[in-house]
Amino acid sequence: MSADGPVPEQAPGAGGKAPQPSGVDLARVALRAAREAARARGDAAQQKKQARRGGLRSGARADGRDPMALGSAINRLITERGWETPAAVGGVMGRWPQIVGEDVAKHCVPERYDEDERVLVVRCDSTAWATNLRLLAPTLVARLNEDLGHGSVRVIKVLGPGGAGPGRRYGPLRAPGSKGPGDTYG
């Protein structure tokens, strides 16, 4: 201190070095740490006492054991487990008609989503719709990524009708090299 009053502390850049914490500041920090440690010990002792009395009981204050709304619990579980992308894609599968349109949704259905490869597999009921969906795939991938977040869907794999038509027949009327009757999807 000078005769005029307390000496102002210098800024960290002005004088070369930062001011060191004084004894009062160090005492405040130590007191705050001691209070937090005592509070933690008191909380632990309180829980032990409650456990001896017949289990932990909920009090007037909110804690992690209180019941919560179903939506909040599900959102917390999804976040804790890292299921955000699969859950979002599942939501897309539920809203498929709104995303692709009613006409396409009648003939093309999403089957599964591979999270590792980021591939959405869609099955169509005819080769014509499979071809149509292949042409729409880049636009559809862009629309899905706008909805889900960039890079959520990398590719849409389009499958044609499964098991359409009779199986392959072998016999005297079969032409050599023929692939048999059925759809021309290939």
Side-chain angles (χ1 to χ4, degrees):
M1 278 194 159
S2 68
D4 297 330
V7 177
E9 293 184 19
Q10 293 182 350
K17 59 181 185 177
Q20 297 296 323
S22 67
V24 174
D25 294 332
L26 290 174
R28 284 185 186 137
V29 170
L31 179 61
R32 186 177 307 127
R35 283 181 179 164
E36 288 174 6
R39 186 176 300 124
R41 282 193 308 271
D43 289 345
Q46 181 79 14
Q47 287 180 353
K48 283 182 184 178
K49 187 187 295 184
Q50 286 179 347
R52 281 192 300 251
R53 281 191 283 160
L56 296 173
R57 296 186 182 133
S58 182
R61 293 189 199 116
D63 62 6
R65 297 171 290 137
D66 287 340
M68 59 177 27
L70 182 61
S72 300
I74 289 173
N75 288 337
R76 183 171 140 189
L77 180 67
I78 287 172
T79 303
E80 286 175 357
R81 303 284 171 108
W83 294 340
E84 289 92 355
T85 301
V89 172
V92 164
M93 290 183 178
R95 295 185 331 240
W96 183 252
Q98 290 85 18
I99 293 171
V100 297
E102 293 294 328
D103 292 337
V104 175
K106 288 178 187 173
H107 301 282
C108 304
V109 179
E111 281 192 347
R112 64 185 176 274
Y113 174 71
D114 183 4
E115 185 179 1
D116 297 330
E117 299 291 325
R118 302 207 183 279
V119 175
L120 179 64
V121 179
V122 179
R123 180 163 307 273
C124 298
D125 62 0
S126 71
T127 57
W129 279 104
T131 303
N132 188 20
L133 194 65
R134 273 200 204 95
L135 294 173
L136 292 173
T139 307
L140 193 55
V141 167
R143 189 180 307 165
L144 289 170
N145 283 329
E146 283 177 15
D147 193 20
L148 300 173
H150 184 68
S152 296
V153 177
R154 193 173 50 84
V155 176
I156 293 180
K157 183 176 179 181
V158 181
L159 303 176
R168 278 180 80 169
R169 293 182 299 171
Y170 297 97
L173 300 177
R174 184 174 172 275
S178 156
K179 293 188 177 189
D183 204 356
T184 58
Y185 181 78

